[in-house]
């Protein structure tokens, strides 16, 4: 495909490089001149013959991307634009895409607000469940998405199935697992598995305040439980604040669960009461992540795809109007 | 020293082996015949000349421990008994130590209840901040305690300073950092950095219930935030239930913190409000763990030792009535 990526941070930069490595024609743009220079330098470097590298790169990194000075220059002649900018920057980019006839997608971590901004446009929302602690083009990695779940939103009304399948074909070919869900289901679920976990980590970190002994005695369970709390507060706040209704709702559920533990602690036999209460969470965690389960071929059809996503399944390949799918198994896979 | 270890699970077994490796005379006992056999087999195996092992063992593992069939047989002739049994088993062991003239210590993760059980005995409570997911003698490791914080309780009334120093000398020589604290300060702090983190992990795991999509999209922040939730519910319940007042109190504080995040999420500008709220937790987490700070020599004296512990400091060595100490620095060390 002929693709433009707008925004060349960690995700946009990695996607630019992954698409180029898979032989697509790619153009990139970033509002930062420095980032554009970095992306251009790497494209030139990648044109050189590969050096003997005993590392893990198995896909040759091709240098066939161009970096454009403006958005119109980047998107000219492309069939697809990927918006890889933060949510607040999307309206500005859209203004520059007023007459763009191709398909638009995005990679932001909240999907309801983007769906609303793009209403009436030829758009399919996306979100790759990949990342790392560092950010910026220099942290980008063409293998960042290998094996990751890539949400592609499918609304019962308003999503063109052919567009959805074109993106699913593109992303599954990069080695990702494409998950069909509605924007609402996505936003609720990422509140559960990403946004609220950041708030729990932050709350737990407050035990360090005014108690140096806590910092000295803290070990594994504290380290794991607070790891993501060191993320810049602006980033956690943007993520949670951009998904405030779902995050607030999920957080209230977790608080209620914790309060129930508090009641068990005050029971006449707290050990017996807590043991019963904790059995389900322990079973749930020990069964996660699920081992790969059933595979199937099916005709692509919105309702069936959404049922697949609700069941935790994903698309592994697209051929014409048929998709190959996989569902989670009942056993457990890894840690 | 001449030491008996009662209970040869992960902690007791590791201590038996660490003490033997450091040249102490050690006897062990476990109520399980199978565990006694395992401990005996390993003692015999360790008497063999070491094989060429390219592994990480730097201390030769000596075989000079004996495994006794009964508690009286184990403790005969020793100066120190280490109770390495679960809290509910302590009264039974104590009944068998009725006339024991030596020093008694323990390794249980809650110190107030043990202090109360041992009142009137020659006792110093202890708790090594070390562990791993597996349990039992076969999981034991003489290097389990390398560099770990080892709490030794010091009550303003009731702890004999000479006994405290004898244990501090023994444990610092094993390469641990001995932290002097009261049982009450210990129990409050482990609620913060270990017990409540297990409850947060459990609560977060409940998002998997009835939403297979969550299991498919969950990645790093969920994995870290829930890692310890897979612990057997009986163990989490025993740990938290044995320290119920402190755990309940700390949990209530965490719930209040989370509720304050919920209020910020409902603010007119949730992103700005949350950014301000999350700055302190983020700063606290990024400053942890602290780099090593100031070292000092001091005369061992209960009030000064407790002040050291409250400040997050620890004892690194004991010589006569002098101790070498270290305090946490202001910079950060590692992740």
């Amino acid at each position: 495909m002929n693709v433009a990526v707008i925004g060349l941070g960690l995700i946009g930069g990695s996607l630019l490089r992954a698409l180029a490595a898979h032989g697509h024609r790619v153009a990139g743009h970033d509002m930062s001149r420095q980032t554009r220079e970095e992306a251009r330098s790497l494209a030139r470097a990648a044109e050189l013959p590969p050096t003997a590298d005993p590392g893990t790169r198995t896909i040759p990194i091709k240098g066939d991307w161009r970096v454009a000075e403006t958005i119109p220059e980047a998107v000219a002649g492309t069939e697809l634009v990927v918006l890889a900018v933060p949510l607040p920057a999307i309206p500005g980019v859209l203004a520059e895409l007023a007459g763009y006839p191709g398909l638009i997608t995005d990679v932001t971590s909240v999907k309801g607000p983007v769906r609303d901004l793009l209403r009436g446009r030829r758009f399919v929302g996306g979100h790759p469940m990949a990342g790392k602690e560092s950010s910026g083009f220099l942290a980008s990695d063409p293998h960042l998405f290998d094996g990751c779940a890539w949400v592609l939103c499918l609304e019962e009304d308003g999503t063109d199935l052919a567009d959805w399948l074109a993106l699913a074909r593109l992303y599954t070919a990069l080695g990702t697992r494409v998950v069909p869900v509605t924007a609402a289901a996505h936003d609720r679920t990422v509140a559960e598995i990403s946004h609220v976990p950041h708030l729990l980590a932050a709350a737990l970190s407050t035990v360090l305040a005014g108690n140096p002994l806590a910092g000295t005695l803290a070990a594994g369970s504290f380290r794991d439980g607070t790891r993501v709390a060191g993320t810049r507060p602006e980033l956690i706040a943007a993520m949670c604040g951009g998904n405030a209704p779902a995050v607030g709702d999920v957080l209230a559920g977790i608080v209620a669960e914790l309060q129930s533990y508090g009641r068990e602690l005050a029971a006449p036999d707290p050990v017996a009461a807590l043991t019963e209460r904790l059995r389900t969470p322990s079973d749930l965690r020990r069964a996660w992540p699920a081992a790969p389960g059933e595979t199937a071929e099916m005709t692509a059809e919105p309702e069936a795809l959404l049922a697949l996503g609700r069941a935790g399944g994903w698309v592994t390949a697209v051929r014409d109007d048929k998709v190959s799918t996989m569902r989670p198994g009942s056993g457990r896979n890894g840690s």
Side-chain angles (χ1 to χ4, degrees), chain A:
Chain A
M1 285 182 88
N2 195 335
V3 185
V5 179
I6 308 302
L8 301 176
L10 173 66
I11 300 292
S14 297
L15 182 57
L16 180 88
R17 296 172 65 184
L19 290 170
H22 281 77
H24 296 282
R25 292 185 59 188
V26 213
H29 171 77
D30 195 279
M31 64 179 291
S32 148
R33 170 190 295 269
Q34 192 190 325
T35 299
R36 294 198 301 272
E37 285 308 318
E38 289 165 357
R40 250 186 222 117
S41 306
L42 194 71
R44 276 196 296 270
E47 280 164 7
L48 300 173
T51 56
D53 181 350
T56 57
R57 297 288 179 273
T58 53
I59 299 173
I61 297 173
K62 299 178 189 171
D64 50 355
W65 68 76
R66 63 187 174 85
V67 178
E69 281 300 292
T70 66
I71 293 175
E73 190 193 323
V75 307
T78 63
E79 311 150 68
L80 171 67
V81 169
V82 182
L83 308 176
V85 297
L87 179 59
I90 286 184
V93 176
L94 282 182
E96 301 214 49
L97 294 176
Y100 183 70
L103 175 59
I104 301 175
T105 188
D106 76 319
V107 296
T108 44
S109 64
V110 57
K111 305 265 56 78
V114 184
R115 173 200 59 203
D116 296 345
L117 283 170
L118 273 288
R119 216 177 278 283
R121 305 292 298 256
R122 195 177 147 204
F123 172 72
V124 176
H127 180 207
M129 306 306 295
K132 48 182 184 176
E133 329 247 299
S134 42
S135 59
F137 183 81
L138 293 180
S140 71
D141 175 354
H143 292 276
L144 183 66
F145 311 113
D146 290 2
C148 86
W150 197 306
V151 167
L152 279 185
C153 289
L154 189 53
E155 307 300 330
E156 305 258 15
D157 57 334
T159 305
D160 184 277
L161 187 62
D163 283 341
W164 192 94
L165 287 170
L167 273 177
R169 188 180 303 116
L170 182 73
Y171 289 147
T172 52
L174 297 184
T176 74
R177 303 177 286 129
V178 166
V179 184
V181 294
T182 62
H186 168 277
D187 289 354
R188 167 82 193 188
T189 300
V190 294
E192 293 175 335
I193 54 91
S194 171
H195 301 170
V196 167
H198 280 78
L199 298 181
L200 295 183
L204 184 53
S205 298
T206 63
V207 304
L208 294 172
N211 185 8
L213 176 62
T216 296
L217 299 191
S221 61
F222 179 81
R223 172 175 293 115
D224 291 343
T226 57
R227 194 186 311 275
V228 294
T231 307
R232 287 199 300 123
E234 292 79 3
L235 294 182
I236 304 179
M239 202 165 72
C240 294
N243 193 17
V247 173
D249 193 44
V250 172
L251 183 60
I254 297 286
V255 162
E257 179 78 10
L258 291 171
Q259 286 171 325
S260 79
Y261 301 163
R263 285 192 297 275
E264 308 296 18
L265 282 164
D269 184 348
V271 176
L274 260 182
T275 300
E276 276 321 295
R277 261 251 151 240
L278 296 175
R279 202 171 296 284
T280 299
S282 176
D283 288 346
L284 286 166
R285 180 54 173 81
R286 274 182 287 128
W288 181 89
E294 222 176 289
T295 61
E297 301 286 311
M298 64 185 223
T299 300
E301 186 270 315
E303 209 168 294
L305 286 169
L306 287 172
L308 175 75
R310 275 194 303 274
W314 57 89
V315 171
T316 57
V318 178
R319 194 169 44 85
D320 303 325
D321 67 336
K322 294 276 192 298
V323 293
S324 305
T325 69
M326 180 172 273
R327 284 166 192 261
S330 57
R332 190 202 184 197
N333 181 26
S335 68

